[in-house]
Amino acid sequence: MGISRDSRHKRSHTGAKRAQYRKKRKFELGRQPGHTKLGGPKRIHEVRVRGGNKKFRALRLDSGNFSWGSEAISKKTRLLAVVYNASNNELVRTNTLVKGAVIQIDATPFRQWYEAHYAQPIGRKKKKEGQVESEELSKKRSKHVQRKIESRKEEAKVDFLLEDQFVTGRLYAIISSRPGQSGRADGYILEGKELEFYVKKIKSKK
Amino acid sequence: MSEQIERAYQKQPGIFTNAKITRKKAKNKNNRWIKDVGLGFKTPKEAVEGHYIDKKCPWAGMVSIRGRILNGVVVSTKMKRTIIVRREYLHYITKYNRYEKRHKNVAAHLSPAFIGVQPGDTVTLGQCRPLSKTVRFNVLKVQKKVQKGSKKFAKF
């Protein structure tokens, strides 16, 4: 292939063309990009790199570990779709997972945790009659656990924009790992100003 | 704010801005991370109070200043967040026992903490890791050009 990362082929600061005086060296090598795609069974290839170490080139991923910053928890969730990429719209169209890509993730593990932790419904549509409460909400709890839940009551408020996303079951998150290097698509749920920024960008694109 | 010009959200990587509001009301002041560059260089006020995001800024970014410290005169400020600095020196010719003037241009990164840097100002540069193809220095101190008397005539 011959991808090299040297600067000997580039013109110098003054604009002079540099003569080639040696061949490409192995320590200057570059490899083909991985273009990790979303979906399908997980596919990760191992690459032997300089020093005998390993890199895990993820080629297909469908789940990742995402953290909810303001609640300080992380859950493993399914990835649903790539929604925005600041560098290249092509990567959105082809559902390519890269660091910094804004994606939609499955909200159910977070909703389950929230309802178990705060014993309050989140993102549930109001049903008129015959309302069937979720198992976690209506579970019988010991007195010790009840006291803990009472003490957490004031902190249970979730930001409006986030709660909306729970209704649809899809949360906006951003990938903060490098899938082509570590083989994982991990990240954090977008909140606050960052969430507003990206929601605006996504809307203006549509 | 107005510093979100790019297509990706600009922020300082280590700062968490989304803590729950119901918890103890966080100090309303700027949730910003600043570091001291060392070597006796003062942190500009604009770096501490400003809202700019610059990962190559020596105070609000991820670069460390080490190695050489150089001085020079600003030649051009037309690039985005970087300037060209001209360093003059004398080269000795042994045959004639005399000197000749020579100069080298250095590209340096200019943090948004410095506002109003004009060609002609004297500038102190600190060496850092390569920031781009030609930039290996970062501006640490700016001394405005002294106008002798009150010269009203300016370029604009």
Side-chain angles (χ1 to χ4, degrees):
Chain A
M1 271 146 279
I3 303 175
S4 79
R5 292 163 34 241
D6 65 332
S7 53
R8 286 175 295 108
H9 68 278
K10 297 203 76 147
R11 286 185 183 257
S12 74
H13 182 28
T14 59
K17 197 172 172 73
R18 280 190 266 230
Q20 184 195 17
Y21 72 95
R22 71 182 195 198
K23 293 183 166 189
K24 293 185 189 178
R25 295 284 192 264
K26 175 158 182 299
F27 54 76
E28 295 165 336
L29 72 74
R31 295 188 183 87
Q32 295 281 3
H35 293 314
T36 312
K37 296 282 184 280
L38 200 162
K42 174 167 74 175
R43 192 182 282 190
I44 300 177
H45 284 184
E46 257 183 45
V47 180
R48 183 204 178 269
V49 294
R50 192 161 176 80
N53 305 313
K54 294 191 183 149
K55 274 191 189 176
F56 300 97
R57 191 126 303 154
L59 300 172
R60 286 194 203 162
L61 287 177
D62 55 1
S63 64
N65 196 28
F66 285 83
S67 51
W68 190 354
S70 56
E71 305 284 350
I73 49 140
S74 301
K75 294 284 170 209
K76 179 170 165 188
T77 21
R78 274 186 316 131
L79 314 174
L80 299 173
V82 175
V83 152
Y84 179 76
N85 187 308
S87 328
N88 192 351
N89 293 330
E90 177 89 24
L91 299 175
V92 178
R93 248 187 316 128
T94 51
N95 267 348
T96 305
L97 301 170
V98 282
K99 176 177 172 185
V102 177
I103 59 174
Q104 280 185 323
I105 58 172
D106 186 17
T108 45
F110 295 101
R111 172 187 286 152
Q112 282 168 355
W113 173 85
Y114 183 92
E115 290 179 347
H117 194 252
Y118 292 111
Q120 287 175 26
I122 181 167
R124 303 273 182 190
K125 281 173 272 189
K126 292 203 172 76
K127 285 210 195 115
K128 288 300 168 78
E129 77 259 14
Q131 184 169 4
V132 183
E133 286 216 341
S134 80
E135 217 186 273
E136 283 102 57
L137 281 177
S138 51
K139 194 165 67 165
K140 193 156 187 287
R141 292 185 167 84
S142 68
K143 273 194 251 159
H144 181 77
V145 177
Q146 275 290 99
R147 253 186 292 134
K148 275 204 271 190
I149 289 180
E150 287 297 314
S151 67
R152 291 174 193 153
K153 260 225 166 93
E154 305 109 46
E155 301 182 344
K157 185 78 177 54
V158 174
D159 191 40
F160 175 65
L161 267 171
L162 251 186
E163 192 153 359
D164 272 352
Q165 292 173 40
F166 271 104
V167 175
T168 60
R170 294 165 163 245
L171 298 171
Y172 283 130
I174 189 166
I175 299 181
S176 59
S177 68
R178 300 172 73 192
Q181 309 282 315
S182 61
R184 292 164 198 249
D186 298 335
Y188 58 90
I189 295 178
L190 289 172
E191 295 181 273
K193 287 232 148 55
E194 227 177 319
L195 176 60
E196 290 166 21
F197 176 88
Y198 282 116
V199 163
K200 214 181 346 157
K201 288 275 183 227
I202 296 168
K203 242 190 264 190
S204 65
K205 283 247 271 59
K206 285 245 167 81
Chain B
M1 306 218 166
S2 57
E3 75 263 1
Q4 299 295 345
I5 318 170
E6 309 288 343
R7 293 192 61 194
Y9 187 74
Q10 304 289 103
K11 61 174 188 171
Q12 290 190 307
I15 304 296
F16 182 61
T17 54
N18 300 320
K20 279 190 149 162
I21 326 157
T22 51
R23 301 239 169 93
K24 259 188 303 181
K25 198 93 197 206
K27 312 153 229 171
N28 260 332
K29 69 178 210 180
N30 229 351
N31 199 12
R32 194 173 172 77
W33 175 85
I34 295 288
K35 76 174 197 292
D36 172 37
V37 302
L39 301 161
F41 286 103
K42 292 215 162 50
T43 308
K45 207 148 63 99
E46 175 64 23
V48 182
E49 297 169 359
H51 296 273
Y52 67 85
I53 305 289
D54 183 9
K55 65 180 182 187
K56 300 179 182 177
C57 170
W59 296 279
M62 296 315 220
V63 297
S64 69
I65 304 296
R66 74 286 184 284
R68 302 219 180 230
I69 309 289
L70 308 175
N71 292 308
V73 175
V74 175
V75 157
S76 116
T77 56
K78 299 201 193 98
M79 287 191 278
K80 202 195 288 186
R81 287 183 177 174
T82 105
I83 56 169
I84 303 282
V85 171
R86 183 186 170 107
R87 303 187 61 236
E88 305 233 348
Y89 58 98
L90 293 171
H91 178 245
Y92 184 65
I93 310 287
T94 24
K95 175 176 180 186
Y96 296 104
N97 285 344
R98 274 146 229 232
Y99 292 90
E100 61 179 5
K101 268 199 197 167
R102 287 191 181 183
H103 81 275
K104 281 268 188 339
N105 283 351
V106 175
H109 183 266
L110 182 69
S111 165
F114 297 109
I115 337 168
V117 178
Q118 299 293 329
D121 296 345
T122 311
V123 125
T124 306
L125 311 176
Q127 189 183 5
C128 53
R129 65 170 157 89
L131 303 176
S132 81
K133 178 177 170 200
T134 55
V135 179
R136 281 105 174 90
F137 286 88
N138 224 313
V139 173
L140 296 176
K141 192 162 68 169
V142 177
Q143 268 164 288
K144 292 257 170 243
K145 181 173 181 171
V146 192
Q147 293 276 36
K148 286 193 213 127
S150 60
K151 280 203 194 144
K152 293 258 176 75
F153 179 76
K155 272 187 208 149
F156 32 38

